[in-house]
Amino acid sequence: MNKVSITVGIPFYHKTTLEELALSINSILKQTFLPYEIHLIQDGPISKELANLVVDYVSRNDFIKHIKLDKSNLSTALNNSIKLTKTKYY
């Protein structure tokens, strides 16, 4: 598993389906070079099923972080994630 100094942010919200989020995360995890960090950016309240999916990925991968935000907008969600990154590239 090769990691590079990149953070990938994946914003999601209450209308995101389990399949959409899992597909997004799995797509990144299947790459030849993995990012140093993956930020799962929760924008507002979500369903219990979606929360369980996030907890599952975070518990199995120490480089996946869950960022919880009050309901905002896409640019605010991504900017919050960028502020928390530990890598040179986002």
Side-chain angles (χ1 to χ4, degrees):
M1 171 169 57
N2 298 316
K3 285 192 179 181
V4 292
S5 186
I6 295 173
T7 298
V8 174
I10 303 175
F12 64 98
Y13 71 125
H14 68 95
K15 290 187 178 179
T16 304
T17 67
L18 293 171
E19 294 78 21
E20 290 168 337
L21 186 58
L23 237 144
S24 299
I25 298 167
N26 290 334
S27 173
I28 294 166
L29 294 177
K30 290 179 183 176
Q31 298 300 310
T32 303
F33 294 97
L34 291 176
Y36 183 78
E37 297 178 305
I38 297 174
H39 289 175
L40 302 180
I41 313 159
Q42 177 183 328
D43 190 9
I46 57 172
S47 69
K48 184 175 178 133
E49 293 80 15
L50 206 50
N52 289 339
L53 180 68
V54 170
V55 167
D56 183 52
Y57 276 103
V58 170
S59 67
R60 289 187 290 132
N61 301 279
D62 63 344
F63 60 98
I64 297 180
K65 311 296 181 216
H66 183 194
I67 301 170
K68 295 180 187 178
L69 303 173
D70 292 331
K71 182 68 181 133
S72 59
N73 58 52
L74 180 60
S75 59
T76 301
L78 292 172
N79 283 332
N80 275 284
S81 174
I82 289 169
K83 289 177 187 174
L84 296 172
T85 190
K86 297 175 182 139
T87 60
K88 184 175 180 179
Y89 301 104
Y90 187 87

